[in-house]
Amino acid sequence: VIGYYLESLMSHILTFPTLFSGGYVANSLAIMTDALHMLTDLSGIILTLLALWLSAKSPTKRFTFGFHRLEVLSAIISVLLVYILMAFLLYEAVQRTIHMDYEINGDIMLITAAVGVAVNLIMGFLLNQSGHLHSHSHSHRHSHIPQSNSPNTAHSSSHGHSSLAVRAAFVHALGDLVQSIGVLVAAYIIRFKPEYKIADPICTYVFSILVILTTVRILCDTGVIILEGVPRHLNVDRIKEDLMKIEDVYSIEDLNVWSLTAGKTTAIVHLQLVPGSSSKWEEVQSKARQLLLNTFGMYKCSVQLQSYKQEISKTCASCQSSSA
């Protein structure tokens, strides 16, 4: 997948300055907003590569969980930067809508918009071809591997996630292409019908909404990670039910689930064993770890066990502490 992201990274790095500078010279807010949307894509690609790089770094004595949260901080900073630029472009769009005292260079706008369409067409074609080659090669390589809880299954699953990542990137490229075509249509209108230059701020409004829709989920996800909330794809009640199905588990004293960063979920669970089963603690711990790691896809987990304690003893202890 790194190859796909690197290809997309290079194209965005080359295209973003072209679109933004072209929009600035043409005095077109629509093209600059299109470039702003591309900046959000560029930030996402950089964050993905940053996450891959940070995942290879070992934890230190000070940062025992590693440096995964740097990805979250980078995401927040990049989104805030995008919002600042978008607010400026929206302000200019409102001023143009009210006063209509501006001129747009239709020729430069048309050429720049055409470049944006061409780049998105190339990126969509490359991602489509890469996805076909990737799925074709791995379909032959893993066609006779049985599906089981083994390293082979994890390896096959990783390639499945890689294929999904390429498909998601292809769909996103199609969305960018549609937006670039919209800018091209607006540029064509303004070039041959300058009296309809209102199309430029209208495109800015539409694309600003797209930028907000693209980034709101990023902010929500980063907020959940910073507040150490449960990831949206996991259900704590379902985890508890499956843990209680493990033989010799009497109760779940505590369960904490949170994310170090996107895609890296961690869990700490405290289980109480049934009476007389203390000798089976290794078997129970192994089953609980396999459930959390393999079934629920945890990145790390810690399973704490304790022998059975009667509830009455807890009640008495609490009564004593309260009376004291």
PDB file of all heavy atoms in Angstrom, residues 138-157:
ATOM      1  N   HIS A 138      -2.233 -11.603  -5.614  1.00  0.00           N
ATOM      2  CA  HIS A 138      -2.448 -12.236  -4.323  1.00  0.00           C
ATOM      3  C   HIS A 138      -3.544 -13.282  -4.378  1.00  0.00           C
ATOM      4  O   HIS A 138      -3.606 -14.146  -3.516  1.00  0.00           O
ATOM      5  CB  HIS A 138      -2.764 -11.188  -3.253  1.00  0.00           C
ATOM      6  CG  HIS A 138      -1.585 -10.342  -2.900  1.00  0.00           C
ATOM      7  ND1 HIS A 138      -0.460 -10.886  -2.349  1.00  0.00           N
ATOM      8  CD2 HIS A 138      -1.339  -9.015  -3.049  1.00  0.00           C
ATOM      9  CE1 HIS A 138       0.428  -9.928  -2.145  1.00  0.00           C
ATOM     10  NE2 HIS A 138      -0.085  -8.787  -2.570  1.00  0.00           N
ATOM     11  N   SER A 139      -4.435 -13.215  -5.369  1.00  0.00           N
ATOM     12  CA  SER A 139      -5.441 -14.257  -5.494  1.00  0.00           C
ATOM     13  C   SER A 139      -4.789 -15.583  -5.845  1.00  0.00           C
ATOM     14  O   SER A 139      -5.207 -16.643  -5.401  1.00  0.00           O
ATOM     15  CB  SER A 139      -6.478 -13.879  -6.557  1.00  0.00           C
ATOM     16  OG  SER A 139      -5.864 -13.804  -7.833  1.00  0.00           O
ATOM     17  N   HIS A 140      -3.713 -15.555  -6.667  1.00  0.00           N
ATOM     18  CA  HIS A 140      -2.987 -16.772  -6.987  1.00  0.00           C
ATOM     19  C   HIS A 140      -2.128 -17.225  -5.816  1.00  0.00           C
ATOM     20  O   HIS A 140      -1.991 -18.409  -5.555  1.00  0.00           O
ATOM     21  CB  HIS A 140      -2.096 -16.550  -8.214  1.00  0.00           C
ATOM     22  CG  HIS A 140      -2.876 -16.451  -9.492  1.00  0.00           C
ATOM     23  ND1 HIS A 140      -3.478 -17.543 -10.064  1.00  0.00           N
ATOM     24  CD2 HIS A 140      -3.161 -15.381 -10.281  1.00  0.00           C
ATOM     25  CE1 HIS A 140      -4.101 -17.168 -11.188  1.00  0.00           C
ATOM     26  NE2 HIS A 140      -3.918 -15.858 -11.331  1.00  0.00           N
ATOM     27  N   ARG A 141      -1.559 -16.272  -5.103  1.00  0.00           N
ATOM     28  CA  ARG A 141      -0.628 -16.617  -4.039  1.00  0.00           C
ATOM     29  C   ARG A 141      -1.322 -17.250  -2.851  1.00  0.00           C
ATOM     30  O   ARG A 141      -0.780 -18.108  -2.175  1.00  0.00           O
ATOM     31  CB  ARG A 141       0.115 -15.355  -3.586  1.00  0.00           C
ATOM     32  CG  ARG A 141       1.253 -15.642  -2.635  1.00  0.00           C
ATOM     33  CD  ARG A 141       1.966 -14.367  -2.253  1.00  0.00           C
ATOM     34  NE  ARG A 141       2.469 -13.685  -3.426  1.00  0.00           N
ATOM     35  CZ  ARG A 141       3.079 -12.500  -3.370  1.00  0.00           C
ATOM     36  NH1 ARG A 141       3.228 -11.884  -2.201  1.00  0.00           N
ATOM     37  NH2 ARG A 141       3.509 -11.918  -4.473  1.00  0.00           N
ATOM     38  N   HIS A 142      -2.565 -16.842  -2.559  1.00  0.00           N
ATOM     39  CA  HIS A 142      -3.248 -17.315  -1.357  1.00  0.00           C
ATOM     40  C   HIS A 142      -4.460 -18.185  -1.680  1.00  0.00           C
ATOM     41  O   HIS A 142      -5.277 -18.421  -0.821  1.00  0.00           O
ATOM     42  CB  HIS A 142      -3.718 -16.118  -0.502  1.00  0.00           C
ATOM     43  CG  HIS A 142      -2.584 -15.235  -0.065  1.00  0.00           C
ATOM     44  ND1 HIS A 142      -1.663 -15.637   0.847  1.00  0.00           N
ATOM     45  CD2 HIS A 142      -2.234 -13.977  -0.446  1.00  0.00           C
ATOM     46  CE1 HIS A 142      -0.777 -14.665   1.049  1.00  0.00           C
ATOM     47  NE2 HIS A 142      -1.111 -13.656   0.265  1.00  0.00           N
ATOM     48  N   SER A 143      -4.560 -18.699  -2.882  1.00  0.00           N
ATOM     49  CA  SER A 143      -5.766 -19.426  -3.268  1.00  0.00           C
ATOM     50  C   SER A 143      -5.900 -20.750  -2.530  1.00  0.00           C
ATOM     51  O   SER A 143      -6.998 -21.241  -2.339  1.00  0.00           O
ATOM     52  CB  SER A 143      -5.759 -19.678  -4.781  1.00  0.00           C
ATOM     53  OG  SER A 143      -4.592 -20.404  -5.146  1.00  0.00           O
ATOM     54  N   HIS A 144      -4.772 -21.367  -2.084  1.00  0.00           N
ATOM     55  CA  HIS A 144      -4.851 -22.665  -1.436  1.00  0.00           C
ATOM     56  C   HIS A 144      -4.525 -22.598   0.045  1.00  0.00           C
ATOM     57  O   HIS A 144      -4.247 -23.610   0.669  1.00  0.00           O
ATOM     58  CB  HIS A 144      -3.875 -23.641  -2.117  1.00  0.00           C
ATOM     59  CG  HIS A 144      -4.164 -23.837  -3.580  1.00  0.00           C
ATOM     60  ND1 HIS A 144      -5.284 -24.511  -4.024  1.00  0.00           N
ATOM     61  CD2 HIS A 144      -3.497 -23.415  -4.688  1.00  0.00           C
ATOM     62  CE1 HIS A 144      -5.283 -24.534  -5.358  1.00  0.00           C
ATOM     63  NE2 HIS A 144      -4.215 -23.870  -5.775  1.00  0.00           N
ATOM     64  N   ILE A 145      -4.561 -21.402   0.625  1.00  0.00           N
ATOM     65  CA  ILE A 145      -4.269 -21.261   2.050  1.00  0.00           C
ATOM     66  C   ILE A 145      -5.561 -21.386   2.840  1.00  0.00           C
ATOM     67  O   ILE A 145      -6.520 -20.647   2.591  1.00  0.00           O
ATOM     68  CB  ILE A 145      -3.599 -19.908   2.358  1.00  0.00           C
ATOM     69  CG1 ILE A 145      -2.229 -19.856   1.683  1.00  0.00           C
ATOM     70  CG2 ILE A 145      -3.447 -19.707   3.850  1.00  0.00           C
ATOM     71  CD1 ILE A 145      -1.507 -18.550   1.907  1.00  0.00           C
ATOM     72  N   PRO A 146      -5.668 -22.293   3.790  1.00  0.00           N
ATOM     73  CA  PRO A 146      -6.896 -22.453   4.565  1.00  0.00           C
ATOM     74  C   PRO A 146      -7.116 -21.266   5.475  1.00  0.00           C
ATOM     75  O   PRO A 146      -6.175 -20.644   5.954  1.00  0.00           O
ATOM     76  CB  PRO A 146      -6.641 -23.737   5.378  1.00  0.00           C
ATOM     77  CG  PRO A 146      -5.150 -23.838   5.490  1.00  0.00           C
ATOM     78  CD  PRO A 146      -4.613 -23.247   4.218  1.00  0.00           C
ATOM     79  N   GLN A 147      -8.371 -20.959   5.739  1.00  0.00           N
ATOM     80  CA  GLN A 147      -8.735 -19.863   6.635  1.00  0.00           C
ATOM     81  C   GLN A 147      -8.734 -20.375   8.065  1.00  0.00           C
ATOM     82  O   GLN A 147      -9.581 -21.158   8.475  1.00  0.00           O
ATOM     83  CB  GLN A 147     -10.122 -19.302   6.273  1.00  0.00           C
ATOM     84  CG  GLN A 147     -10.185 -18.681   4.909  1.00  0.00           C
ATOM     85  CD  GLN A 147      -9.266 -17.479   4.782  1.00  0.00           C
ATOM     86  OE1 GLN A 147      -9.176 -16.672   5.694  1.00  0.00           O
ATOM     87  NE2 GLN A 147      -8.573 -17.372   3.668  1.00  0.00           N
ATOM     88  N   SER A 148      -7.782 -19.941   8.862  1.00  0.00           N
ATOM     89  CA  SER A 148      -7.674 -20.359  10.251  1.00  0.00           C
ATOM     90  C   SER A 148      -7.019 -19.265  11.044  1.00  0.00           C
ATOM     91  O   SER A 148      -6.507 -18.296  10.497  1.00  0.00           O
ATOM     92  CB  SER A 148      -6.855 -21.659  10.363  1.00  0.00           C
ATOM     93  OG  SER A 148      -5.535 -21.449   9.859  1.00  0.00           O
ATOM     94  N   ASN A 149      -6.986 -19.427  12.342  1.00  0.00           N
ATOM     95  CA  ASN A 149      -6.341 -18.450  13.200  1.00  0.00           C
ATOM     96  C   ASN A 149      -4.846 -18.703  13.211  1.00  0.00           C
ATOM     97  O   ASN A 149      -4.275 -19.238  14.159  1.00  0.00           O
ATOM     98  CB  ASN A 149      -6.900 -18.521  14.622  1.00  0.00           C
ATOM     99  CG  ASN A 149      -8.329 -18.040  14.681  1.00  0.00           C
ATOM    100  OD1 ASN A 149      -8.713 -17.174  13.884  1.00  0.00           O
ATOM    101  ND2 ASN A 149      -9.111 -18.578  15.591  1.00  0.00           N
ATOM    102  N   SER A 150      -4.186 -18.349  12.138  1.00  0.00           N
ATOM    103  CA  SER A 150      -2.764 -18.577  11.977  1.00  0.00           C
ATOM    104  C   SER A 150      -2.132 -17.352  11.378  1.00  0.00           C
ATOM    105  O   SER A 150      -2.813 -16.458  10.894  1.00  0.00           O
ATOM    106  CB  SER A 150      -2.519 -19.789  11.067  1.00  0.00           C
ATOM    107  OG  SER A 150      -2.999 -19.513   9.762  1.00  0.00           O
ATOM    108  N   PRO A 151      -0.790 -17.282  11.360  1.00  0.00           N
ATOM    109  CA  PRO A 151      -0.129 -16.147  10.720  1.00  0.00           C
ATOM    110  C   PRO A 151      -0.509 -16.003   9.269  1.00  0.00           C
ATOM    111  O   PRO A 151      -0.537 -14.908   8.732  1.00  0.00           O
ATOM    112  CB  PRO A 151       1.368 -16.476  10.902  1.00  0.00           C
ATOM    113  CG  PRO A 151       1.420 -17.360  12.115  1.00  0.00           C
ATOM    114  CD  PRO A 151       0.166 -18.145  12.078  1.00  0.00           C
ATOM    115  N   ASN A 152      -0.809 -17.138   8.597  1.00  0.00           N
ATOM    116  CA  ASN A 152      -1.200 -17.035   7.190  1.00  0.00           C
ATOM    117  C   ASN A 152      -2.500 -16.268   7.045  1.00  0.00           C
ATOM    118  O   ASN A 152      -2.689 -15.495   6.103  1.00  0.00           O
ATOM    119  CB  ASN A 152      -1.353 -18.446   6.593  1.00  0.00           C
ATOM    120  CG  ASN A 152      -0.023 -19.150   6.443  1.00  0.00           C
ATOM    121  OD1 ASN A 152       1.006 -18.484   6.331  1.00  0.00           O
ATOM    122  ND2 ASN A 152      -0.032 -20.476   6.466  1.00  0.00           N
ATOM    123  N   THR A 153      -3.426 -16.512   7.970  1.00  0.00           N
ATOM    124  CA  THR A 153      -4.689 -15.794   7.913  1.00  0.00           C
ATOM    125  C   THR A 153      -4.489 -14.312   8.136  1.00  0.00           C
ATOM    126  O   THR A 153      -5.091 -13.472   7.461  1.00  0.00           O
ATOM    127  CB  THR A 153      -5.650 -16.352   8.992  1.00  0.00           C
ATOM    128  OG1 THR A 153      -5.799 -17.753   8.791  1.00  0.00           O
ATOM    129  CG2 THR A 153      -6.994 -15.689   8.903  1.00  0.00           C
ATOM    130  N   ALA A 154      -3.640 -13.963   9.095  1.00  0.00           N
ATOM    131  CA  ALA A 154      -3.344 -12.555   9.333  1.00  0.00           C
ATOM    132  C   ALA A 154      -2.694 -11.927   8.124  1.00  0.00           C
ATOM    133  O   ALA A 154      -2.973 -10.782   7.768  1.00  0.00           O
ATOM    134  CB  ALA A 154      -2.428 -12.430  10.557  1.00  0.00           C
ATOM    135  N   HIS A 155      -1.822 -12.698   7.454  1.00  0.00           N
ATOM    136  CA  HIS A 155      -1.147 -12.182   6.256  1.00  0.00           C
ATOM    137  C   HIS A 155      -2.145 -11.930   5.147  1.00  0.00           C
ATOM    138  O   HIS A 155      -2.147 -10.901   4.484  1.00  0.00           O
ATOM    139  CB  HIS A 155      -0.097 -13.201   5.817  1.00  0.00           C
ATOM    140  CG  HIS A 155       0.745 -12.742   4.670  1.00  0.00           C
ATOM    141  ND1 HIS A 155       1.611 -11.674   4.769  1.00  0.00           N
ATOM    142  CD2 HIS A 155       0.855 -13.200   3.396  1.00  0.00           C
ATOM    143  CE1 HIS A 155       2.239 -11.497   3.620  1.00  0.00           C
ATOM    144  NE2 HIS A 155       1.776 -12.401   2.764  1.00  0.00           N
ATOM    145  N   SER A 156      -3.073 -12.912   4.958  1.00  0.00           N
ATOM    146  CA  SER A 156      -4.099 -12.744   3.937  1.00  0.00           C
ATOM    147  C   SER A 156      -5.008 -11.581   4.264  1.00  0.00           C
ATOM    148  O   SER A 156      -5.425 -10.821   3.382  1.00  0.00           O
ATOM    149  CB  SER A 156      -4.907 -14.037   3.810  1.00  0.00           C
ATOM    150  OG  SER A 156      -5.950 -13.886   2.896  1.00  0.00           O
ATOM    151  N   SER A 157      -5.335 -11.442   5.577  1.00  0.00           N
ATOM    152  CA  SER A 157      -6.193 -10.331   5.980  1.00  0.00           C
ATOM    153  C   SER A 157      -5.534  -8.988   5.712  1.00  0.00           C
ATOM    154  O   SER A 157      -6.199  -8.043   5.312  1.00  0.00           O
ATOM    155  CB  SER A 157      -6.521 -10.464   7.467  1.00  0.00           C
ATOM    156  OG  SER A 157      -7.272  -9.372   7.914  1.00  0.00           O
TER     157      SER A 157
END
